[in-house]
Amino acid sequence: MFKIGTMIIMSLMAMSLFTGCVQRDIHLNKNFWAHSSSVDDVNISDDNLTISEMMIMEDGEENKMARIEFPESEYYRLARTGKGTVKGTIYVKDYYDRRILGASTRLYLNPITSYSEQWYEESYLGGYKMQAADPRLFNYLKFTASDKNGEFAFYGVPSGSYYLIGTVKCGEECGYGSMKNIRIATKVSVHGNQIVEQDLTRSVE
């Protein structure tokens, strides 16, 4: 009986040494856990972002309204030279209907296209923050600056329709605790050598 038992034990040991099944099972388990926890195997696609990861992106361009594709064909058709004039005064009205002048501030004319209309409707009127404008836009803007009395003038304006845009700095006189830039925009059209008188103004909200 003792001999039979000894033979059975020796037979099992020999099988394990030749087949290596016990060691192979352990080796496979180690490889399995190593690969499953590898950084390279972690899915970081947009569908798997956590709430905290999404919040990190909120301060960047991803959280701002995307602009439509820059319409090259629309801008290509715009006149580049002209003889028109746009002039006026930039100011805001306080709660007592008094003028706070926009002295020595920059103003610009932005041609009305589908691209600038999106900005006007969504950002200026709607209050949404938008992603940065296409750099090509700046080739079509006309700039000027107001004097100490808030008076401004654009000369050599090509015929067309524009958004007239500027800002007025206002603080306590407008009821604010600190100085703020108040943006103002309105539409204006110029034809030929026309002189257009257009004040740029709005009331304090």
Side-chain angles (χ1 to χ4, degrees), residues 51-136:
I51 294 176
S52 61
E53 287 171 329
M54 291 173 67
M55 290 181 70
I56 291 173
M57 300 169 64
E58 287 184 355
D59 291 332
E61 290 288 290
E62 295 83 355
N63 192 44
K64 297 178 182 178
M65 179 175 289
R67 293 179 184 262
I68 63 173
E69 185 177 352
F70 188 79
E72 291 185 75
S73 59
E74 284 186 60
Y75 284 93
Y76 182 77
R77 294 193 296 267
L78 295 174
R80 302 300 296 271
T81 60
K83 298 181 179 179
T85 300
V86 177
K87 64 179 183 178
T89 304
I90 179 172
Y91 59 93
V92 294
K93 292 182 179 180
D94 67 9
Y95 297 108
Y96 301 100
D97 209 34
R98 295 176 300 192
R99 290 187 178 189
I100 291 89
L101 300 172
S104 304
T105 188
R106 174 175 283 194
L107 300 93
Y108 59 99
L109 290 173
N110 188 351
I112 296 180
T113 64
S114 59
Y115 195 74
S116 58
E117 281 182 335
Q118 184 200 24
W119 168 84
Y120 184 78
E121 295 293 331
E122 302 294 348
S123 182
Y124 181 69
L125 297 181
Y128 292 99
K129 291 184 178 180
M130 302 191 73
Q131 293 181 358
D134 191 296
R136 290 172 289 183

Side-chain angles (χ1 to χ4, degrees), residues 1 8 44 48 89 136 150 160 163 168 173 177 192:
M1 190 71 177
I8 292 173
I44 56 173
N48 290 276
T89 304
R136 290 172 289 183
Y163 290 113
V168 175
E173 61 269 44

